[in-house]
Amino acid sequence: GRKVLIVYAHQEPKSLNGSLMSIAVEELSKQGCSVTVSDLYAMHFEPRATRNDIVGCLHNSEEFNYGVETWEAYKRGGLSSDLIEEQRKVQEADLLIFQFPLYWFSMPAIMKGWMDRVLVQGFAHEFPNCYDSGLLKSKLALFSFTTGGSREMYAKGGISGDIRYLLWPMQHGIMHFCGVKVLAPHICFAPEYVSEEERKEMLIAWAQRLKTLWKEEPINCSPEWYFK
């Protein structure tokens, strides 16, 4: 069976994000997938990249360089236990689903911290092994998120600009950089400003998409997809 890791960042289980996460667990489990959830708020996940991420001696105790130190620590098995555990989940997963509310045109800080700390050099990328040759090239990712603004606001001519512009740093700069193939995002626009009926329809649409998710082709991982 396929393995799925859902990295989930919302404080309230009863939120729409919480419901979207639960639906993904239920539907993918029904398909025979093994589903793991990293519930970042519930885990009190530490978003800050610090010296605490390295166990034992530093490679260079004179001047701390987080990127170099985590790379060296990864090679010798000297990363902190929480990072080793998250890397194990990523390594085992065929599909990564990131479920979150859009904050200030980006992911919440706790999820960005997960990216900063988990996807270290040596594990997720190692130049020149990046983009199509990134170290996680056997995996798929999907960003599923809610927005405060309406679909019209995030259209190409809208006040917020095309939603794809915001996906560039997340999908391309992080996932594609690490070699991950990216499925089209799943976006629930402005759930707080629609009727209860429309929110239910959002959940139904997500459940329906999940039924055929494994048949989907990844997006064209090129600048054209984002900026054409």
Side-chain angles (χ1 to χ4, degrees):
R2 295 181 173 103
K3 293 194 173 182
V4 180
L5 171 62
I6 302 174
V7 182
Y8 166 67
H10 200 286
Q11 308 89 333
E12 176 51 66
K14 294 176 191 163
S15 65
L16 189 79
N17 274 277
S19 298
L20 291 162
M21 183 271 290
S22 298
I23 284 167
V25 172
E26 185 182 345
E27 180 53 45
L28 293 166
S29 298
K30 268 192 222 163
Q31 296 175 21
C33 299
S34 169
V35 185
T36 302
V37 178
S38 284
D39 182 342
L40 301 182
Y41 285 105
M43 291 158 63
H44 300 288
F45 186 82
E46 170 58 78
R48 295 172 298 176
T50 69
R51 163 72 177 88
N52 295 335
D53 293 348
I54 295 99
V55 175
C57 296
L58 292 175
H59 178 68
N60 178 0
S61 58
E62 299 297 311
E63 186 177 341
F64 185 71
N65 181 317
Y66 185 82
V68 170
E69 293 297 342
T70 50
W71 184 24
E72 293 294 335
Y74 175 75
K75 287 190 280 189
R76 64 177 167 80
L79 289 172
S80 59
S81 58
D82 59 335
L83 295 191
I84 290 169
E85 175 63 10
E86 292 306 298
Q87 288 176 346
R88 181 191 64 76
K89 295 175 193 175
V90 171
Q91 198 66 62
E92 290 180 356
D94 300 297
L95 168 66
L96 310 170
I97 295 177
F98 297 96
Q99 182 65 59
F100 59 97
L102 198 69
Y103 280 5
W104 294 116
F105 280 27
S106 188
M107 62 187 78
I110 199 167
M111 183 176 279
K112 179 58 165 57
W114 186 95
M115 304 282 184
D116 291 347
R117 295 181 64 227
V118 174
L119 302 176
V120 303
Q121 186 169 357
F123 170 69
H125 58 90
E126 192 163 357
F127 193 81
N129 294 319
C130 51
Y131 290 115
D132 289 342
S133 59
L135 302 182
L136 303 180
K137 59 180 178 286
S138 62
K139 304 186 185 304
L140 287 169
L142 192 164
F143 286 81
S144 172
F145 60 96
T146 58
T147 69
S150 65
R151 186 185 295 272
E152 293 71 31
M153 289 172 75
Y154 286 108
K156 194 152 194 170
I159 188 73
S160 299
D162 193 325
I163 192 76
R164 288 179 297 183
Y165 303 160
L166 313 190
L167 290 162
W168 171 255
M170 294 187 267
Q171 292 187 163
H172 188 78
I174 303 175
M175 285 295 112
H176 185 204
F177 185 83
C178 296
V180 181
K181 294 177 181 67
V182 180
L183 297 174
H186 197 86
I187 309 167
C188 293
F189 288 99
E192 289 182 53
Y193 302 102
V194 300
S195 67
E196 188 60 39
E197 193 56 42
E198 286 172 287
R199 277 195 291 278
K200 281 182 186 159
E201 284 169 14
M202 288 175 176
L203 298 176
I204 292 165
W206 177 228
Q208 285 300 117
R209 181 177 177 190
L210 289 163
K211 289 182 195 303
T212 56
L213 195 67
W214 300 104
K215 294 177 182 170
E216 291 186 17
E217 288 295 318
I219 65 166
N220 166 21
C221 282
S222 69
E224 286 76 24
W225 189 89
Y226 298 91
F227 303 110
K228 65 188 174 189

